[in-house]
Each structure stands twice: as C-alpha cells, then as structure tokens.
Amino acid sequence: MRAQVLSPLNIIIALILAFLIGAIVMWISGFSPIASYSSMLLTPLSDPVYSLSALAFSAPIVLTGLTFAVGLKAGLFNIGAEGQVYMGALGAVIAAYLARDFAALPLAFGLGLALAVLWSALPALLKLWRGVNEVVSTIMMNWIAYWIVIMAVSTALSNPLQPEESVKMPEAARLTPLIPGTDFTLAVPLAYGTAAVIFVFLKYSVWGYRMSVSGHNPLAAKSYGIKPERAVLIAFAIGALTAGLAGILQVVARPPSYSLMRNLANVYGIGFDGITAAMLGRGHPLGVIFAAIFLGVMQEGARHMQIEAGTPFEFVRVIQGLIILLLAVQILRKI
C-alpha cells in the first residue's frame, strides 16, 4: 500500500477548517475564540521561558512523529508509537527501581529501547507472516501496553512516599534543565538530532532507498532484488526506537517529577500527537520537527488559555482531533 502524502495546500486548508470549527465550538460553549486563540498561540511566544517550555513539549512529539513518518516511507500506517512510548517509560522506571545512582541512566536507555523494540516485534511479525493489518494490531498493542504499565506503576514500581507516581529517577541519573528555571533539557536537542539522523538515513543510505522503493511499489522493489519484508522490519524497529526514546526521556529528562505518573498522564497521548505531527510535516523528518514545535506551542498555550481566557485546556485536544480528521478525509479522497 502506497502511503499518501498531502500537499501543503491541503494541510493549510485542514488547519484553517480545524481552527474555524474549533472557534465555533468555543463560541457555542460560551468562550471567546479570539481570547482563547490569542492566549494559546501568542502567549507561549511572548516569553523565553514559555517558548522553551513549548520546545520541551515538542521533543517527544518529534520522536513519535518519526515513528509514523518512517512507517509511511515503508508503506505502513504504524500507529503503535503510543504503546511503545509506554514501554520505553516502563524500562526507565524499572532502571530507577534497580539502580540508585548514575548507572540508572544507561540502564534506562538500554531497558527502555529493548522493551519498545520487543513490543513492536509482534505486529511486525503478524504483518509479515499472517498479513495482519498493522493498524489493527498496533491499536491492540497500545491498549495492552497501557494496562500493563498502569499495573506496574500502581504496584511493584510505585513510590511509597508518593503513591500517585512511580519510583523517581535517581538525582545522579537525571538530565536536568540546560537553562535553569526552564523545562529545556537535553531531550530537546536529542530529539531534533534524531530527526536529522533519520533524514540522512532515509535520503542517503542504501536501506533508506530500499525502504522508499518498497513503500512506493513492493512489486517493483522485488523485481530489483529488494525484499519488502526487510523494509517492514527495519521500519518497525526504527519506529520503536524513536518512540521508546520518547518514553525514556519523559522519565529521565522531564522536570520536576522525573517519574511516571500512576495514570500515565505525562506520557499519555504522545504517540497520537506524533501522528498529527507526521501528517502536518508531510512524512518528512525535518517537517515533523516544525509540526511538533507548532503542537508544542499549542500544548504550552493550553495552560495559558485556561488561566487567561478561562477556556478548558481540552479544547486543544479537540482542535488536534479535528486536524487529524480533516487530514484523514483528504487522504481518503486521494486513495
């Protein structure tokens, strides 16, 4: 199945319609669209601290956006980033439980990435061996991961001093803010750097070329000696690594908690935000960065919108949902 990428005009139309429909819903609900959008989109840019916070919000979205974008290159609609984020975060929490010094940091990356890749292996193998649609299998794996991690954080990995969260990452193993008084940690340049590496891999490497050819036309790829099955495995593996990294960084590099909330509030939805970023970025790794920054501004702005305009922050989710819906409708019209 060839992945469909929308034109910039299609994306602009979807954004305009999403914000217009959102404004109508706000007005009907008794909130001011002008005040809401002003505080959502302009306030985060009015202060360096707010702007850096928006960049911090964008970092995990970049990584999960790469999961979906790499899948598109291989002709996949891999929406399993959400579950793989949970597993990456779980690996980091297990590391915090096992080690109480700097050793927890490399252990967190090792365990988190391993769990994320293992979690993506089942839908990948089901796709190759039984022809199971990756959309169905990854959705199922997302929910299984959610409840497994909820159970782990609520029982064996809970913090006895603060039951609403998991055990904390040891202070020696935390990636603290690069700029004091902000949320800007090493997670931001690491996420953007990962996107740059993925871009180089897809554009200039042999395997990147093979993935693109396989995603565009599997039959033609086979005629040139390219095995689409390998492209699928590599796409799933790379996507799992970036999504798992997003989950790890939410634990080791997200102040002030440096832990996993019992309800998974600090990781919930990141995988689905990545789908929005990938669609807005037209499946291009560098485009995902700019789209993720835009979504990061919206997330940071949601807090100011609630304070300044009195508008519930859930309206940001409404608008993001509308963006995905409108983009999906246009993609379906092209198929």
Side-chain angles (χ1 to χ4, degrees):
M1 178 174 60
R2 181 182 175 183
Q4 298 289 332
V5 177
L6 294 173
S7 69
L9 179 60
N10 293 135
I11 293 173
I12 292 172
I13 291 173
L15 287 173
I16 292 174
L17 288 176
F19 278 96
L20 180 60
I21 296 172
I24 294 173
V25 174
M26 286 180 187
W27 180 73
I28 293 174
S29 303
F31 304 104
S32 169
I34 296 176
S36 299
Y37 285 150
S38 175
S39 55
M40 180 201 302
L41 301 174
L42 299 181
T43 301
L45 305 177
S46 65
D47 187 282
V49 174
Y50 300 156
S51 299
L52 291 173
S53 180
L55 293 179
F57 276 118
S58 75
I61 301 176
V62 169
L63 294 169
T64 56
L66 292 173
T67 301
F68 191 74
V70 171
L72 287 179
K73 285 292 184 182
L76 301 170
F77 282 86
N78 178 9
I79 57 175
E82 184 76 3
Q84 291 151 27
V85 168
Y86 299 153
M87 300 311 290
L90 177 62
V93 172
I94 293 174
Y97 179 81
L98 295 176
R100 303 309 303 164
D101 52 20
F102 178 78
L105 184 59
L107 186 60
F109 281 95
L111 287 177
L113 294 178
L115 287 177
V117 171
L118 286 174
W119 203 251
S120 73
L122 182 57
L125 294 176
L126 288 173
K127 172 77 173 178
L128 295 177
W129 290 349
R130 307 299 299 176
V132 177
N133 187 285
E134 67 274 9
V135 174
V136 176
S137 60
T138 50
I139 286 178
M140 294 174 65
M141 296 297 286
N142 287 344
W143 283 108
I144 295 171
Y146 177 82
W147 290 111
I148 287 176
V149 179
I150 283 279
M151 180 181 66
V153 174
S154 301
T155 54
L157 300 177
S158 66
N159 186 341
L161 301 178
Q162 294 177 284
E164 72 278 4
E165 65 180 15
S166 71
V167 292
K168 291 180 177 290
M169 183 61 53
E171 289 189 16
R174 298 174 184 177
L175 299 180
T176 54
L178 298 176
I179 301 175
T182 72
D183 296 335
F184 189 89
T185 67
L186 190 61
V188 178
L190 185 58
Y192 295 172
T194 301
V197 170
I198 296 295
F199 167 71
V200 172
F201 169 79
L202 293 175
K203 187 171 180 63
Y204 298 107
S205 74
V206 173
W207 275 110
Y209 171 76
R210 291 174 178 175
M211 283 178 54
S212 298
V213 173
S214 298
H216 186 80
N217 193 323
L219 293 178
K222 287 183 178 180
S223 68
Y224 282 97
I226 299 173
K227 296 182 178 180
E229 297 81 6
R230 290 185 180 178
V232 169
L233 286 175
I234 292 174
F236 267 108
I238 293 176
L241 289 173
T242 59
L245 181 59
I248 295 166
L249 292 175
Q250 285 299 99
V251 176
V252 305
R254 189 63 175 166
S257 64
Y258 293 100
S259 63
L260 190 57
M261 295 295 104
R262 185 173 180 175
N263 60 357
L264 309 190
N266 55 333
V267 293
Y268 184 79
I270 291 175
F272 298 121
D273 289 340
I275 296 175
T276 307
M279 295 176 74
L280 288 175
R282 305 182 67 237
H284 194 289
L286 302 185
V288 169
I289 293 178
F290 293 104
I293 291 174
F294 172 69
L295 295 176
V297 169
M298 288 182 63
Q299 289 197 19
E300 171 64 19
R303 302 191 293 186
H304 302 286
M305 181 179 69
Q306 190 171 22
I307 296 171
E308 298 174 10
T311 308
F313 66 87
E314 286 82 3
F315 272 102
V316 168
R317 289 295 180 187
V318 171
I319 294 170
Q320 290 182 358
L322 286 169
I323 292 172
I324 293 179
L325 177 63
L326 293 167
L327 290 174
V329 167
Q330 294 187 75
I331 289 175
L332 290 174
R333 291 178 61 186
K334 294 179 63 177
I335 295 178

